[in-house]
């Protein structure tokens, strides 16, 4: 039996059978992979604690013809607040769902692994909405679906002051070009600065998390619309955010 070790963040879990889960892991070594965790819903299972969403774990897996199997797992870090506080749960779920839906199995990116890992303590202790939006913004930059926040998507001019922004063209549109782009919506100067701050945010220096709520709401609205436009379907966690947080 071929076995291998991984360090990972648990992106998602789904129950199957009486006591099993299939877990989606974002690993440092292999990118995203799914594995079966047999018996892990029994309280005596030695891997039950580790197989929870948002955990940072190390694990030993055995290679399967179709799906790998978790043999052993240890928790490296866990974040209680993310499952107990509804707002934290909702926004952490949003960020994790975006990463899960926009990555393919075995598409390896150490950047994505560290982004997930570094975002967890911030989502658990600081403003979860800000942290999740920063995480999603930074993830999109490396996903091949990045938005152009600072230059006009049509003519390449640097955006200064108020402008437009387009979902279909993937970013900012300068005032000279707004009439040529179909789905342009307002892109105030303050919203561009919010996105630029989010992109340059350093997770190790959590001091700069102050954003105006109006800009934050606008950033959230635009960003969710963009991701859903790319995916062509609604994100589950968005329904959750709307239902439970009445946004
Ligand atoms: Zn332009």
């Amino acid at each position: 039996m071929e076995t291998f070790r991984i360090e990972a963040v648990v992106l998602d879990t789904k129950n199957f059978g009486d006591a099993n889960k299939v877990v989606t892991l974002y690993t440092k070594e292999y990118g995203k992979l799914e594995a079966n965790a047999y018996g892990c819903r029994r309280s005596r299972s030695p891997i039950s604690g580790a197989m929870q969403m948002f955990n940072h774990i190390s694990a030993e897996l055995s290679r399967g013809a179709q799906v790998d199997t978790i043999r052993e797992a240890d928790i490296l870090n866990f974040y209680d607040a993310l499952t107990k506080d509804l707002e934290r749960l909702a926004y952490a779920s949003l960020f994790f769902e975006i990463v899960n839906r926009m990555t393919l199995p075995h598409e390896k990116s150490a950047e994505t692994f560290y982004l997930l890992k570094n975002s967890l303590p911030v989502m658990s202790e600081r403003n979860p909405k800000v942290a999740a939006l920063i995480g999603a913004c930074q993830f999109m930059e490396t996903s091949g679906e990045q938005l152009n926040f600072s230059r006009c998507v049509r003519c390449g001019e640097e955006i200064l002051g108020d402008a437009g922004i387009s979902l279909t063209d993937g970013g900012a549109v300068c005032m000279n070009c707004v009439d040529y782009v179909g789905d342009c919506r307002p892109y105030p100067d303050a919203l561009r600065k919010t996105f630029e701050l989010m992109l340059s945010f350093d997770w190790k220096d959590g001091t700069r998390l102050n954003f105006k709520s109006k800009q934050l709401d606008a950033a959230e609205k635009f960003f969710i619309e963009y991701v859903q436009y790319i995916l062509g379907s609604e994100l589950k966690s968005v329904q959750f955010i709307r239902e439970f947080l009445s946004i």
Side-chain angles (χ1 to χ4, degrees):
M1 183 174 65
E2 186 196 346
T3 61
F4 60 102
R5 284 208 77 83
I6 51 143
E7 181 183 342
V9 169
V10 182
L11 263 188
D12 197 14
T13 72
K14 284 189 187 73
N15 293 343
F16 78 96
D18 286 345
N20 317 317
K21 278 184 188 176
V22 53
V23 292
T24 308
L25 305 171
Y26 202 97
T27 71
K28 187 163 84 177
E29 297 83 357
Y30 307 99
K32 186 171 83 171
L33 61 86
E34 283 198 342
N36 289 338
Y38 292 103
C40 77
R41 279 154 58 217
R42 292 195 185 101
S43 56
R44 281 170 306 160
S45 161
I47 58 169
S48 73
M51 298 295 107
Q52 312 287 339
M53 201 167 161
F54 309 123
N55 279 353
H56 173 209
I57 63 167
S58 88
E60 187 179 278
L61 281 72
S62 60
R63 191 92 60 195
Q66 305 286 333
V67 186
D68 302 326
T69 298
I70 310 269
R71 295 283 156 197
E72 280 174 36
D74 297 305
I75 300 173
L76 300 176
N77 289 293
F78 73 101
Y79 302 93
D80 232 8
L82 292 183
T83 50
K84 295 204 170 124
D85 174 323
L86 214 53
E87 190 184 6
R88 294 187 192 284
L89 173 63
Y91 281 105
S93 301
L94 174 69
F95 176 38
F96 273 42
E97 186 184 0
I98 289 173
V99 174
N100 194 8
R101 297 272 309 270
M102 297 197 65
T103 46
L104 295 168
H106 303 287
E107 200 179 68
K108 186 183 157 185
S109 159
E111 240 173 329
T112 301
F113 169 76
Y114 284 110
L115 181 57
L116 291 165
K117 176 176 167 273
N118 291 337
S119 73
L120 285 166
V122 184
M123 290 193 294
S124 145
E125 285 158 29
R126 309 285 302 274
N127 183 325
K129 177 167 159 171
V130 177
L133 284 174
I134 293 174
C137 245
Q138 293 190 354
F139 164 70
M140 293 291 282
E141 278 294 287
T142 64
S143 72
E145 299 287 356
Q146 69 266 49
L147 280 155
N148 216 325
F149 291 118
S150 305
R151 288 190 174 275
C152 174
V153 290
R154 192 165 177 272
C155 72
E157 269 305 296
E158 190 180 349
I159 304 286
L160 300 165
D162 295 342
I165 195 161
S166 155
L167 289 182
T168 47
D169 286 33
V173 183
C174 79
M175 285 316 224
N176 295 327
C177 297
V178 284
D179 291 339
Y180 301 97
V181 175
D183 74 326
C184 244
R185 53 196 75 196
Y187 186 42
D189 193 44
L191 181 56
R192 175 175 52 79
K193 287 180 176 146
T194 300
F195 281 132
E196 286 170 352
L197 278 174
M198 286 182 169
L199 288 179
S200 65
F201 178 77
D202 176 358
W203 295 92
K204 301 286 181 208
D205 166 26
T207 53
R208 295 185 305 128
L209 271 178
N210 297 322
F211 293 92
K212 292 219 162 60
S213 67
K214 188 180 163 200
Q215 298 315 327
L216 210 54
D217 290 346
E220 177 183 18
K221 187 170 178 289
F222 181 81
F223 205 77
I224 287 173
E225 276 180 33
Y226 181 63
V227 172
Q228 294 187 150
Y229 165 75
I230 300 277
L231 292 170
S233 64
E234 196 166 73
L235 293 158
K236 269 192 309 184
S237 48
V238 169
Q239 292 172 346
F240 178 58
I241 289 173
R242 287 199 188 114
E243 277 170 34
F244 289 95
L245 306 177
S246 317
I247 290 169

